[in-house]
Amino acid sequence: APCTKTSDAICRVVTQCLANEVEVSPPTQTSNRVCAERVVAPWYNVQFALSTPPAFFVPSSQARVDKVTSTVTFGVLLASPTASTTTLQASIGAGSSGGISVSASTSSVRRTAASVSAALLSFGKSYFDGTTITVAFQVRDDAHDPRVAGNTRVLAQVRGSSALTALESVAPQATCTVNQNTGLCTATILLPASWFAGESDEETASVHVGLVG
């Protein structure tokens, strides 16, 4: 009570909440602080589950970061089917009878082709009665996996000598779409008939290959 002209002030100690308590209402000039016991939610270990292989948990990777966060590391086999889906499920509490369960999925994707190699399937020389060249291709992504993105196309172009170019200025070429699982395809190029009508007995040409797009 405050002091008056005829009485002294009356003071009382304000209650301090203990470590295991929280303040329910603050003190005022006419009332004390009200404290209540802190209710701490029980900590449950988080249970992680993965869909069937090719996914796997990294040993000893599960860790409780704090009272609200738990982590785990998992991986996917490189030899797993491309575009396969892996689901990670985390459960806490009493399971289906009253716990909480969440899940998330991730998919491995086919990556863009990064390299192409080729080999001639035809004889090294072409004559007027065999005016085609067949080229075999192999493509891989940047991880050397031949299972590349769909509709990956490759091109082979035959560039003739100056004498052949004078006879036909447009370089003959052909394309093919690689197999999504093997990264392989073949393309056959039809050489211009004019290249075999000249007076020269022998001219040279080179084959150039590359990815389309």
Side-chain angles (χ1 to χ4, degrees), residues 118-198:
L120 282 175
L121 298 183
S122 306
F123 184 62
K125 292 185 177 182
S126 295
Y127 300 92
F128 70 92
D129 58 348
T131 59
T132 60
I133 292 177
T134 301
V135 182
F137 296 90
Q138 171 73 76
V139 301
R140 297 181 185 275
D141 63 19
D142 54 7
H144 307 291
D145 192 334
R147 298 170 298 177
V148 296
N151 299 317
T152 297
R153 297 172 63 232
V154 289
L155 175 144
Q157 184 181 75
V158 180
R159 300 175 187 175
S161 64
S162 57
L164 294 177
T165 303
L167 296 172
E168 176 57 62
S169 60
V170 178
Q173 63 184 36
T175 63
C176 62
T177 301
V178 303
N179 182 285
Q180 276 192 291
N181 295 319
T182 64
L184 297 171
C185 73
T186 59
T188 299
I189 306 170
L190 177 64
L191 302 178
S194 59
W195 283 11
F196 302 91

Side-chain angles (χ1 to χ4, degrees), residues 40-181:
V40 180
W43 171 260
Y44 296 99
N45 288 326
V46 179
Q47 302 297 320
F48 291 99
L50 281 170
S51 58
T52 55
F56 60 92
F57 286 116
V58 175
S60 303
S61 66
Q62 184 172 349
R64 193 177 91 178
V65 177
D66 49 43
K67 289 188 176 181
V68 295
T69 306
S70 186
T71 64
V72 69
T73 303
F74 70 93
V76 179
L77 296 175
L78 290 176
S80 63
T82 305
S84 59
T85 298
T86 299
T87 300
L88 174 65
Q89 184 178 52
S91 303
I92 187 172
S96 60
S97 62
I100 300 173
S101 179
V102 295
S103 62
S105 298
T106 182
S107 298
S108 57
V109 298
R110 293 180 184 270
R111 291 182 286 194
T112 303
S115 65
V116 56
S117 56
L120 282 175
L121 298 183
S122 306
F123 184 62
K125 292 185 177 182
S126 295
Y127 300 92
F128 70 92
D129 58 348
T131 59
T132 60
I133 292 177
T134 301
V135 182
F137 296 90
Q138 171 73 76
V139 301
R140 297 181 185 275
D141 63 19
D142 54 7
H144 307 291
D145 192 334
R147 298 170 298 177
V148 296
N151 299 317
T152 297
R153 297 172 63 232
V154 289
L155 175 144
Q157 184 181 75
V158 180
R159 300 175 187 175
S161 64
S162 57
L164 294 177
T165 303
L167 296 172
E168 176 57 62
S169 60
V170 178
Q173 63 184 36
T175 63
C176 62
T177 301
V178 303
N179 182 285
Q180 276 192 291
N181 295 319

Side-chain angles (χ1 to χ4, degrees), residues 2-27:
C3 61
T4 67
K5 291 182 179 181
T6 59
S7 64
D8 198 0
I10 301 174
C11 300
R12 293 180 179 173
V13 177
V14 177
T15 300
Q16 299 297 320
C17 295
L18 302 176
N20 64 335
E21 295 179 330
V22 293
E23 183 181 80
V24 176
S25 60

Side-chain angles (χ1 to χ4, degrees), residues 23-43:
E23 183 181 80
V24 176
S25 60
T28 67
Q29 290 185 350
T30 59
S31 63
N32 196 4
R33 174 184 285 113
V34 178
C35 301
E37 185 177 357
R38 185 191 304 271
V39 177
V40 180
W43 171 260

